[in-house]
Amino acid sequence: MRFWGNVRRSLGKILLLALSLLICVTAALEGAGTVSCKAEEAESPKWEGDRIYCVAFGDSIAKGYGGKGQEDLRCYTQLIADAVTVEARIPAQCDKFAKNGRDSLRLNTEILSTEEALAALDRADIITLTIGANDLMQEFKKAAQEVLGTDRKFLSVFDAFDALQEGVEGNPLLIVKILDVLNNWDYTAFEEQWLLAMETITEHRKDTAQMVVTNIYNPVSRFELPGAMNDIVEDIIQNMNQIMYDHSEAYDYHVVDLFDSEICEHTQEDGLHPDQEGQELIARLAAEKIDTGIFKGEPEKIIRDEPRPRMAVRRRYSLWTVLGPLPWIALIILVCMTAVVLIWYLKRKRGGESQPLYQKRNKNKDKND
């Protein structure tokens, strides 16, 4: 009996020891698993890279043109990069591939065709594009050549405008021809170049890359253009802007509306290029279309786009619509005054011829008396 009692006590101790060991091992494994998860969470970064890349494509506006003989301004893409650096506490680098005078054609042939630009596009996290204003300027210069019947190559839109003003001063009816040429501009070429640029960018951009494009504001709004000509220019700009809006969903970009902004109040002396305040205004408007929260691990931002503009209907112009009714009213008044003077002159002339006969009769009357 004593033997079996010792055996039972030994088995009890062994089972108790085994149970204690099992509990310790289980607790150790659970503790190790918890530490491992915390370590993994601590090592997970909010942003994959150690740098945010911004790349700017386009013309002198995107370049930050500061005026002839002056240093370039801080372009709006650089300002966006600075803001992202402060908000996300991650260094942001801005690469500019923008040059003065570039239109949509030269954007494709001289910028987006270079290996350096494509390499920057491959790693870009934020992409900005400003193009189209020089397309408008080039068309204006071509219209001036056609209207004036000259092969002269205008150095700038100011040069073309001065030539047109001189031509209109010599022949006021020339304004109708100018309007007709501008009014019949074919947008096909611009749209083809726009789509070509979008295809190139889409081919190289990352899935996570965000892209914004700025539309066109009226760069000649401060010129002393006749009212009808300014209407035509705004129609052209509106139709070019509509092309940008029409393809925004297909190529996943947001349009920054400069046309209805106050940008024209913040331009340099030439009235065309934004000053530093203008660049800051573009940066603020563009920032509304960019989700910088993804660099900080925040929920996705809801970005709302403005309503798309409608295609402007081609206008029909005549001397009446160009000059308005006042010149015609003045002409009618002048004709009426001329008619009155002419009638008065004829009556006076007839009265002068009858006067001698009247005097002769009076003389005979005196003799009879």
Side-chain angles (χ1 to χ4, degrees), residues 93-342:
Q93 175 179 325
C94 179
D95 297 320
K96 290 192 292 185
F97 296 90
K99 297 183 179 180
N100 299 338
R102 294 304 180 266
D103 56 12
S104 59
L105 174 61
R106 298 178 71 184
L107 168 70
N108 287 309
T109 58
E110 299 179 8
I111 298 179
L112 290 176
S113 60
T114 63
E115 294 182 3
E116 185 182 3
L118 295 179
L121 185 58
D122 288 334
R123 66 172 179 264
D125 301 305
I126 298 176
I127 305 168
T128 63
L129 172 62
T130 298
I131 206 71
N134 286 306
D135 292 76
L136 176 64
M137 299 299 181
Q138 294 295 340
E139 189 62 27
F140 192 86
K141 289 189 284 186
K142 289 179 182 178
Q145 289 177 323
E146 182 177 347
V147 168
L148 298 175
T150 178
D151 294 331
R152 171 185 171 186
K153 292 185 178 181
F154 300 107
L155 300 177
S156 66
V157 67
F158 300 102
D159 191 19
F161 179 69
D162 291 341
L164 284 175
Q165 274 194 322
E166 292 177 4
V168 171
E169 289 175 0
N171 180 14
L173 300 182
L174 201 63
I175 187 67
V176 178
K177 186 176 180 181
I178 297 172
L179 295 175
D180 183 64
V181 171
L182 289 175
N183 197 33
N184 288 288
W185 181 27
D186 186 5
Y187 301 93
T188 304
F190 174 72
E191 187 167 16
E192 289 176 352
Q193 293 300 325
W194 181 264
L195 292 176
L196 181 59
M198 293 301 106
E199 288 291 337
T200 302
I201 293 173
T202 302
E203 182 181 352
H204 289 270
R205 65 185 284 193
K206 299 186 298 187
D207 293 336
T208 57
Q210 303 180 66
M211 179 176 175
V212 294
V213 302
T214 61
N215 68 7
I216 308 169
Y217 59 90
N218 189 350
V220 295
S221 59
R222 292 190 177 183
F223 290 1
E224 296 179 359
L225 298 176
M229 185 182 292
N230 197 54
D231 291 340
I232 283 288
V233 171
E234 291 204 349
D235 286 350
I236 292 174
I237 294 173
Q238 184 174 345
N239 291 340
M240 293 175 69
N241 287 342
Q242 190 192 34
I243 291 173
M244 300 180 188
Y245 280 101
D246 285 346
H247 301 286
S248 60
E249 292 182 6
Y251 292 99
D252 189 24
Y253 61 79
H254 295 285
V255 180
V256 180
D257 185 17
L258 299 185
F259 183 78
D260 289 325
S261 72
E262 299 176 353
I263 188 66
C264 292
E265 300 177 10
H266 302 285
T267 56
Q268 301 176 38
E269 293 182 358
D270 59 8
L272 301 177
H273 297 92
D275 55 20
Q276 189 59 62
E277 290 184 1
Q279 290 286 349
E280 292 171 0
L281 172 61
I282 299 175
R284 288 195 299 271
L285 294 174
E288 296 176 0
K289 306 295 183 181
I290 299 174
D291 185 5
T292 55
I294 65 172
F295 306 120
K296 300 180 290 182
E298 296 178 352
E300 183 178 355
K301 174 183 176 182
I302 298 176
I303 299 175
R304 297 180 180 179
D305 289 327
E306 293 79 9
R308 299 181 183 183
R310 294 182 178 180
M311 181 69 75
V313 179
R314 293 188 185 276
R315 302 171 185 258
R316 300 296 178 185
Y317 288 101
S318 62
L319 288 176
W320 179 271
T321 57
V322 173
L323 300 179
L326 292 180
W328 301 104
I329 294 173
L331 180 61
I332 292 172
I333 294 174
L334 179 62
V335 170
C336 291
M337 291 179 62
T338 303
V340 170
V341 172
L342 181 61

